[in-house]
């Protein structure tokens, strides 16, 4: 693989950039692989990458029914944070956050991780106590956060209105090392690195059946023919239920549409990510200058990648209340993605009733920020059969009533 | 130069001149001008800088597709960035400033990017800026952000000075677009009797037809427009709206329409924008078509414009974009521009027609006017930097060898027309590729479908690919009739108006000019003007494997600018397909997402701002609290007094005073927000036994019992006191904010699981004001006001009774959440304020002290009473809180019982509730965790408990807390450590959670 | 009888429509089998109007009955008579499985009048207020902006809105905003 | 933005009048039930891409719960029906079959 660098760009400029090679190969599927990952989104590609990097497993195919990174990886609001309350969540999200810090170098692909800081506003006494609890938990989890004063909030984000007529800002939970990243680049960077390790990324290849022998997976049927494998990883946010059904087990999951929107680009006015959970809205400013805004999730099962507009209304009015200056900005574009909601709103990274079939799903609204940590843990789980990062996220927890419930701290987790 | 012509301009009123300012300069325009036409009339062709290279940008278009002419307008309360000049009507006092340049439009530092452009191809930032690691955040990113961003950000303290509103509209047929097609479709549907709304995004009806001319039913098209508008206005069942845009089409016939009421007259009273949420039986999209640019070197230099725009400015606004206009085209329509220019008395040095065969009738007409026409030719290069100076002509078939140089100040280009299919596509309408016209058009067989599975969007006219006047009218008439028919109306037999279409020679797709343009030229051939995406960028993306159209879009940012690719998408798509060696339809389009053009955040929020941002719930005593200095605490949508600080008194001091006053004499609490649910019926007892963990059916009429409610998942969700009113009627108190939730919870089980049980539930929370009279002197006060027997014997603890207090009929519950002698008195809300006043007066001799939520919390904590939301957080079961006494062993079943039998719920290692007493009397910080030895497999410090409530107790003069601790109840007296985020460590002794009056003597007196 | 207060003490606003808090009204929720003659007799007895059909309301002066759901009615009487009416109906329904409860003070009532009244309501409720879509004798329970509300007509261009008492100020402020000068929609008037 | 018809009050209202209640016809398992049954009842969901039977409440209206048969991929609504049934009535099944021949959902078809 030719390395990317300013020098390489300059060299190519001399010949009008006609010499660049493909970022990833586009091969035909082989008959058999050691591991097949279904889903070439961030989580699937990261899983493959760490299988190769940490465990030397490179005879891997990543099957994608559409185009890589075309699912939620390319539809989210790119927030990266790890200020979670429960130990298992804090562990995997913090692992992810720390991997994001070096990802551009690790992948030789600039994913523009921008540790600009994430602030969660506390706007009721109850929320203040909740975030103080999270701050104490984070301190013991090795996650750097602090509960800051309203004055500090105003310094961090001058466009905020501290005294809305409704919910005055009483403080906030601040994670200075959280931030944002370029979502597409994460998928592209992993894809390029996987391809370079000799893995096959096969796009436009939909899985139509999971083949089993004696309760054990032996391969999959796809629109590009049958492919054998020893181990199968299902990493298809939004369609996990469909794949699980093929494999022959059920999931504690419902798929709903989650929406987001961006404003027209304006000059920099907000350097950090702000989440206001009492009023249900969050916002950051992209490097292009757009205000990136997260909306709510629909209350009904939906596979259309279109949501109901009233969620956009609720989010926008909440943010105008919090940042009155955005009232005269304009909404440029809105879109939706399909997210898997589990029984406790936490993800599932787990073995399944089918031997050698592993599943990674249920990230709900929190998927993007977890990508590297999720891939790291999933790879370990698939290679070694267990991982401390994924242990608490097993399917069995629902039967035992051993939940990982984050709604405890913040109303919503994005 | 561009200037105002002596005559012409069907949209402007030359008698009414309007003064406005651009970059501080005072300029004049006419009523009816757009900001764009007025600027051109003042020779202001260059209007901004591009996003990435900061290249000079001029006005390209005349409508919503304009990518360049974006301005900051207004100041302070009216400031707004990125206002599109082509859709902004000028008004007296309009203040416009150009964007994205520093220090000035003419001289821009950022323009160095242009010099470096060769080193900044698509996606260069993915390949660079990686070293050193922290430079991205501190060096590169800030630079990139600053140079991007277009419009200025409003000031932090700017408040929008305008109001906005929504409106819910209901129509059988909504026609989007007020051009001839839209008008005809509306007429056809209206005549059939359908309830019709027809909207036009600009201020004028008729669209482009009047500019292009032609005859309808033998009369000039302008007459047809006037007549049709008049006919529609005469129809009772038809509503016409101008300055209203179809913004988005959503599922089940939901249409978002954006009406701009005051943008053109900001000084008039009324809302600035109105966002219509419309339910339409059928939506007719008569949204017209947008002309495509041609891709040749230098096609981004100010003065290079769409041929149709040049025509619009001349005909609609009497404005000449330039004196010498070179026309370059691959179709006949652009000849209309040449003719219009000529007829306006301006010169057309040459028409460059890429087609070897040249054009049809219009071409002959042009030649007849003496215009030189070059066929099979293209433009090799445009000369000039801030303004077009001339063009180099070459053979379209070649690689760009210059055959001729022609001086000019405007290049009018036309690459053909693309139907506006956005609204058709928003909700899933599919497209077909039309080889002949080289454009995507709606596939009538694959429409977006509604709740009945029926197609609900009907494209009409140019938006349906019927570009000719006659064909368009016929198509629109059919669409209108069909829409009426499908919404249950009988279309009339009236024929569609007839208009002869000039026979035009076929268009020949030209995606690159010249066809064999080399890398050097391709790097100067723009696709996306605002985001600086060039032909070479798309080709690079394809080369690097970003083959999906979505990959290419995201990698190059093609079509991601504020125009959302209205001009660039198809051209980019064609270049990509060519690079991949596959037909265009196989490449496909990117997804069309709402809104069609950007809409204001204010309009989306509508009326919901400031005081009516959200409902604020008030108790009958709210005004008294307000008047008496209450410091408010939002609890759900309620506002409750947190405390009542006296002047100069801190909140902490106020809380301490309220606690002591209550403990020592008399306190009053507004408890009206507590939920009150009436549960009645023969099966009421059985029902409550299922809802509460403890037994309610055995409660005696006249008595009260504290109860716990769990979710089916086992977790504690609410608690409160239940009073049995009579044999089959109970009154269930819930937590504040619990009322609606628990009421819904009850109805859900009654309606969906136990529907054969005879139980009715009613939420009477707001029917009653409830006041807690608390403290050793509580009884004395009530006895002053009542004849009834309130003695300890006559009215024992945990009983209720109807009591008349000074002629007010009340119901009194003798319950206590503070540990003191306490009565909760409920009266109809309309008498709440009267009772409150009466109690204050009667209690005056005992120093009656109103107390707030914090004093309430402190007192309940002193008594070890749990609080839903503090001791519980959705993961706690009653067993964790030592509430076994409230969990019936006798009952076979209750909600949550089965869940509580699961292995993790019965795990002895679950943390249990205890009291915590700091060794030094200090207060443990909220949310602190008790540490245990070592770390877990993920390197996190092990913990063995956490604080759930922690306060300074004025009664005990020390910090007290409750918490959940591993094996807590078995470790009484043991000291555990709570490290605080403040760096201190708080050592606390595990004690009984009841800190005060353990035997309950005070509440039982 | 002590001083009784409605939530907003008769607040009034005049814009493109006139908004008035109508003061205290006697309102009684009756739940039961609406087909049961005892129930019918009980409610029509105190209200002095016929049983309404689905989504209908019958009124005479301050008295009336509104259909709220298949097993719920809202009986309206003068505020001072509500308690008595409850007792009368309870007496008439002894033995029957029914719930009669006074909710007079749990409600706030507004009158919205004038030629633009339909438009004012059309800005706040997802309901078709065109003359064809909404007429006298109908009651519609829906949402007004962010709170539940019920509405019916009390005459030409005259609407009555009922909401919970605690949000009376919110609803009044909503109606004020929707009736602001210069905000005519020009659709229904 | 869905339009649903409440079978109890007959209102055809927009989504914001209603509240979604998730998968329909779940059989409640209480004390004494097996781990599998209880887990399935509380957590396992069909979540199909296609025909879905679900619960809704007319919360900003008559307050009644009811059932809806809907396609989660196209959002087409086949009909709404009483909440007091343990399986969709025949006319609803027929309505679905007419549009989605060969459909099945849990034990129903």
């Amino acid at each position: 693989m030719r390395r990317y660098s300013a020098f390489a760009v300059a060299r190519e400029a001399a010949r009008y950039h006609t010499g660049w090679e493909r970022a990833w190969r586009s091969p035909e599927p082989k008959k058999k692989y050691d591991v097949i990952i279904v889903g070439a989104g961030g989580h699937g590609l990261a899983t493959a990458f760490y299988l190769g990097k940490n465990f030397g497993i490179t005879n891997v195919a990543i099957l994608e029914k559409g185009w890589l990174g075309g699912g939620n990886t390319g539809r989210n609001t790119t927030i990266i944070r790890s200020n979670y309350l429960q130990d298992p969540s804090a562990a995997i999200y913090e692992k992810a956050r720390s991997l994001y810090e070096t990802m551009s170098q690790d992948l030789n692909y600039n994913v523009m991780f921008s540790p600009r800081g994430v602030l969660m506003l506390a706007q009721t006494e109850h929320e203040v106590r909740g975030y103080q609890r999270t701050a104490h938990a984070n301190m013991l989890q090795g996650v750097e956060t602090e509960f800051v004063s309203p004055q500090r909030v105003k310094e961090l984000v001058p466009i905020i209105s501290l005294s809305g007529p409704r919910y005055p800002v009483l403080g906030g939970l601040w994670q200075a090392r959280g931030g944002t990243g370029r979502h597409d680049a994460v998928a592209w960077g992993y894809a390029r690195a996987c391809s370079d390790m000799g893995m096959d990324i096969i796009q436009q290849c939909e899985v139509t059946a999971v083949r089993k022998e004696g309760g054990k997976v032996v391969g999959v049927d796809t629109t590009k023919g049958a492919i054998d494998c020893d181990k199968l990883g299902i990493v298809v946010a939004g369609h996990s239920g469909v794949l699980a059904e093929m494999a022959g087990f059920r999931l504690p999951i419902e798929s709903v549409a989650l929406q987001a929107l961006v404003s027209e680009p304006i000059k920099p006015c907000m350097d950090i990510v702000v989440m206001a959970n009492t009023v249900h809205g969050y916002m950051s400013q992209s490097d292009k200058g757009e205000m990136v805004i997260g909306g709510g999730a629909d209350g009904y099962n939906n596979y259309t990648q279109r949501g109901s507009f009233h969620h956009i209304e609720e989010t926008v009015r909440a943010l105008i209340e919090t940042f009155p200056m955005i009232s005269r900005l304009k909404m440029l574009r809105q879109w939706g993605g399909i997210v898997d909601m589990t029984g406790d709103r936490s993800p599932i990274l787990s073995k399944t009733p089918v031997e050698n079939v592993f599943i990674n799903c249920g990230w709900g609204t929190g998927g993007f920020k977890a990508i590297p940590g999720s891939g790291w843990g999933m790879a370990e789980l698939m290679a070694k059969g267990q991982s401390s990062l994924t242990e608490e996220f097993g399917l069995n927890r629902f039967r035992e009533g051993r939940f990982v419930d984050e709604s405890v701290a913040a109303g919503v987790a994005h | 130069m561009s200037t105002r012509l002596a005559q012409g301009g069907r949209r402007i009123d030359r008698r009414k001149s309007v003064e406005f300012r651009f970059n501080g300069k005072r300029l004049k325009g006419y009523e009816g001008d757009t900001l764009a036409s007025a600027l051109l009339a003042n020779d202001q062709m260059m209007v901004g800088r591009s996003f990435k290279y900061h290249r000079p940008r001029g006005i390209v278009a005349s409508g919503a597709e304009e990518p360049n002419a974006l301005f900051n307008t207004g100041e302070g309360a009216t400031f707004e960035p990125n206002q599109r000049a082509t859709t902004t009507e000028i008004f007296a006092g309009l203040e416009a400033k150009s964007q994205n340049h520093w220090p000035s439009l003419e001289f821009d530092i950022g323009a160095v990017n242009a010099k470096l452009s060769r080193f900044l191809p698509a996606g260069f930032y993915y390949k660079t800026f990686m070293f050193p690691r922290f430079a991205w955040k501190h060096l590169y990113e800030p630079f990139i952000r600053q140079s991007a961003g277009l419009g200025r950000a409003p000031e932090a303290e700017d408040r929008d000075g305008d109001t906005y509103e929504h409106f819910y509209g209901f129509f059988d047929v909504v026609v989007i677009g007020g051009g001839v097609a839209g008008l005809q479709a509306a007429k056809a549907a209206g005549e059939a009797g359908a309830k019709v709304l027809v909207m036009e995004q600009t201020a004028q009806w008729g669209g482009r037809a009047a500019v292009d001319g032609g005859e309808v039913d033998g009369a000039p098209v302008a007459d047809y427009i006037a007549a049709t508008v008049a006919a529609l206005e005469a129809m009772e069942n038809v509503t016409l709206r101008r300055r209203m845009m179809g913004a988005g089409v959503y599922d089940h016939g939901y249409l978002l329409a954006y009406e701009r009421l005051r943008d053109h007259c900001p000084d008039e009273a009324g809302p600035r924008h109105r966002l219509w949420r419309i339910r339409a039986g059928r939506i007719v999209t008569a949204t017209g078509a947008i002309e495509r640019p041609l891709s040749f070197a230098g096609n981004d230099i100010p003065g290079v414009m769409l041929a149709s725009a040049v025509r619009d400015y001349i005909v609609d606004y009497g404005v000449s974009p330039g004196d010498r206009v070179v026309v370059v085209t691959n179709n006949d329509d652009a000849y209309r521009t040449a003719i219009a220019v000529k007829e306006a008395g301006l010169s057309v040095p040459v028409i460059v027609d890429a087609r070897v065969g040249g054009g049809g009738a219009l071409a002959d007409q042009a030649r007849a006017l003496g215009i030189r026409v070059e066929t099979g030719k293209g433009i090799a290069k445009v000369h000039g930097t801030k303004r077009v100076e001339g063009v180099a002509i070459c053979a379209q078939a070649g690689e760009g060898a210059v055959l001729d140089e022609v001086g000019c100040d405007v290049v009018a280009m036309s690459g053909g027309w693309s139907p506006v299919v956005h609204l058709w596509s928003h909700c899933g309408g599919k497209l077909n590729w039309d080889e002949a016209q080289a454009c995507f058009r709606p596939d009538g067989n694959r429409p977006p479908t509604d709740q009945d599975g029926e197609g609900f969007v009907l494209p009409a006219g140019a938006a349906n690919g019927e570009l000719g006047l006659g064909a368009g009218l016929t198509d629109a008439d059919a669409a209108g009739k069909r829409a009426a028919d499908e919404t249950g109306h009988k279309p009339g037999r009236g024929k569609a108006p007839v208009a002869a279409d000039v026979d035009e020679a076929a268009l020949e797709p030209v995606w690159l000019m010249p066809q064999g343009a080399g890398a050097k030229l391709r790097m100067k051939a723009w696709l996306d003007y605002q985001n600086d995406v060039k032909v070479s960028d798309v080709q690079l993306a394809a080369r690097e494997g970003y083959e999906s159209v979505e990959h290419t879009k995201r990698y190059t940012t093609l079509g991601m600018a504020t125009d959302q690719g209205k001009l660039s998408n198809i051209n980019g798509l064609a270049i990509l397909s060519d690079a991949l060696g596959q037909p265009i339809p196989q490449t496909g389009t990117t997804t069309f997402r709402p809104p069609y053009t950007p809409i204001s955040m204010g309009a989306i929020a509508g009326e919901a701002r400031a005081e009516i941002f959200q409902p604020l719930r008030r108790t009958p005593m709210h005004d008294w609290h307000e008047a008496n200095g209450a410091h408010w605490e939002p609890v759900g949508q309620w506002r409750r007094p947190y405390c009542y600080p006296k002047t100069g008194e801190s909140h902490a001091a106020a809380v301490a005073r309220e606690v002591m006053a209550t403990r020592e004499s008399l306190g009053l609490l507004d408890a009206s927000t507590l939920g009150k649910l009436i549960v009645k019926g023969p099966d009421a007892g059985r029902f409550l036994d299922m809802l509460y963990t403890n037994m309610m059916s055995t409660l005696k009429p006249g008595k009260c019992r504290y109860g716990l409610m769990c979710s089916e998942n086992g977790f504690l969700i609410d608690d409160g006191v239940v009073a049995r009113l009579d044999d089959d009627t109970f009154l269930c108190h819930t937590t504040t904010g619990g009322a609606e939730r628990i009421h819904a919870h009850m109805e859900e089980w009654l309606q969906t699981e136990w529907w054969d049980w005879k139980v009715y539930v009613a939420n009477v929370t707001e029917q009653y004001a409830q006041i807690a009279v608390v403290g050793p002197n509580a009884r004395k006060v009530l006895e002053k006001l009542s004849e009834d027997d309130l003695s300890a014997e006559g009215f024992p603890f945990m009983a209720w009774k109807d009591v008349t207090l000074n002629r007010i009929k009340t119901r009194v519950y003798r319950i206590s959440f503070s540990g003191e002698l306490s009565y909760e008195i409920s009266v109809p809300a309309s008498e709440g304020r009267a009772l409150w006043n009466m109690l204050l007066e009667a209690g005056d001799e005992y120093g009656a002290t109103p107390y707030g939520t914090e004093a309430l919390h402190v007192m309940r904590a002193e008594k070890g009473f749990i609080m839903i939301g503090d001791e519980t957080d959705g993961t706690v079961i009653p067993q964790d809180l030592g509430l076994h006494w409230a969990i019936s062993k006798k009952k076979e079943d209750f909600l949550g019982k089965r869940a509580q039998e699961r292995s993790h719920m019965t795990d002895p290692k679950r943390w249990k509730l205890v009291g915590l007493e700091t060794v030094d009397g200090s207060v443990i910080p909220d949310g602190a965790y008790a540490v245990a030895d070592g770390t877990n497999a993920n390197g996190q410090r092990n913990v063995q408990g956490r604080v759930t409530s922690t306060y300074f107790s004025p009664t005990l003069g020390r910090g007290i807390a409750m918490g959940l601790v591993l094996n807590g109840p078995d470790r009484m007296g043991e000291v555990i450590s709570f490290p605080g985020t403040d760096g201190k460590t708080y050592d606390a002794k595990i004690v009984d959670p009841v800190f005060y009056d353990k035997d309950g003597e005070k509440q039982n007196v | 009888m002590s001083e009784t207060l409605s939530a907003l003490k008769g607040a009034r606003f005049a814009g493109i429509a006139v908004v008035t808090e109508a003061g205290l009204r006697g309102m009684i929720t009756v739940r039961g089998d609406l087909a049961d003659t005892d129930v019918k007799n009980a409610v029509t007895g105190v209200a002095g109007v016929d049983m309404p059909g689905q989504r209908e309301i019958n009124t005479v002066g301050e008295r009336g009955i509104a259909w709220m759901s298949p097993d719920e009615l809202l009986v309206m009487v003068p505020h001072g008579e509500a308690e008595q009416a409850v007792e009368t109906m309870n007496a008439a329904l002894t033995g029957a499985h029914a719930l009669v409860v006074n909710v007079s003070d749990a409600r706030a009532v507004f009158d919205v009048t004038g030629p633009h009244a339909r438009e004012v309501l059309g800005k706040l409720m997802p309901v078709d207020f065109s003359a064809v879509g909404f007429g006298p004798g109908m009651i519609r329970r829906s949402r007004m902006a962010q709170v539940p509300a019920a509405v019916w007509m009390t005459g030409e261009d005259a609407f009555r809105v009922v909401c919970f008492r605690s949000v009376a100020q919110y609803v009044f402020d909503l109606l004020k905003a929707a009736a602001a000068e210069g905000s005519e929609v020009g659709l229904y008037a | 933005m869905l339009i649903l018809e409440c079978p109890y009050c007959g209102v055809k209202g927009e989504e914001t009048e209603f509240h979604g209640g998730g998968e329909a016809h779940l059989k409640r398992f209480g004390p004494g039930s097996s781990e599998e049954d209880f887990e399935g009842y509380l957590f396992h969901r069909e979540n199909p891409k296609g025909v879905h039977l679900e619960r809704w409440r007319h919360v900003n209206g008559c307050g009644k719960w009811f059932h809806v048969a809907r396609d989660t991929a196209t959002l087409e609504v086949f009909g709404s029906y009483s909440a007091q049934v343990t399986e969709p009535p025949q006319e609803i099944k027929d309505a679905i079959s007419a549009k989605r021949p060969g459909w099945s959902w849990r034990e129903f078809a």
Side-chain angles (χ1 to χ4, degrees), chain B residues 241 613 680 766-767 830, chain C residues 31 98 105 143 146 166 185:
Chain B
R241 289 272 161 173
F613 158 62
K680 184 183 183 218
E766 300 196 15
Q767 170 66 16
S830 61
Chain C
R31 294 194 64 183
D105 288 13
R143 153 182 86 77
Q146 300 170 57
S166 67
V185 180

Side-chain angles (χ1 to χ4, degrees), chain A residues 95-171:
Chain A
K95 178 67 180 177
R97 197 203 55 75
S98 63
L99 286 169
Y100 266 120
E101 285 188 332
T102 58
M103 190 181 288
S104 295
Q105 292 71 34
D106 297 347
L107 301 180
N108 178 232
Y109 199 104
N110 189 352
V111 299
M112 301 177 205
F113 173 61
S114 169
R116 55 182 64 180
V118 174
L119 179 67
M120 298 172 111
L121 299 178
Q123 296 182 278
T124 66
E125 296 291 340
H126 187 259
E127 221 173 2
V128 169
R129 289 193 293 272
Y131 286 139
Q132 284 174 340
R133 178 180 168 190
T134 305
H136 281 95
N138 289 162
M139 175 180 68
L140 301 170
Q141 293 155 340
V143 177
E144 287 176 37
T145 62
E146 63 176 312
F147 188 85
V148 297
S149 70
Q151 295 66 29
R152 177 82 174 116
V153 167
K154 186 70 177 173
E155 290 163 21
L156 287 166
V157 51
I159 64 172
I160 202 169
S161 160
L162 285 182
S163 56
R166 188 55 42 88
Y167 300 105
V169 174
L170 305 175

Side-chain angles (χ1 to χ4, degrees), chain B residues 938-966:
Chain B
N938 291 315
Q940 301 168 315
R941 179 68 189 267
N942 288 326
V943 289
Q944 58 175 328
R946 64 179 180 88
V947 163
T948 56
S949 299
T950 170
Y951 301 96
F952 174 78
S953 161
T955 318
L956 307 172
R958 60 174 353 279
I960 61 166
M962 284 191 269
L964 293 163
V965 175
L966 177 66

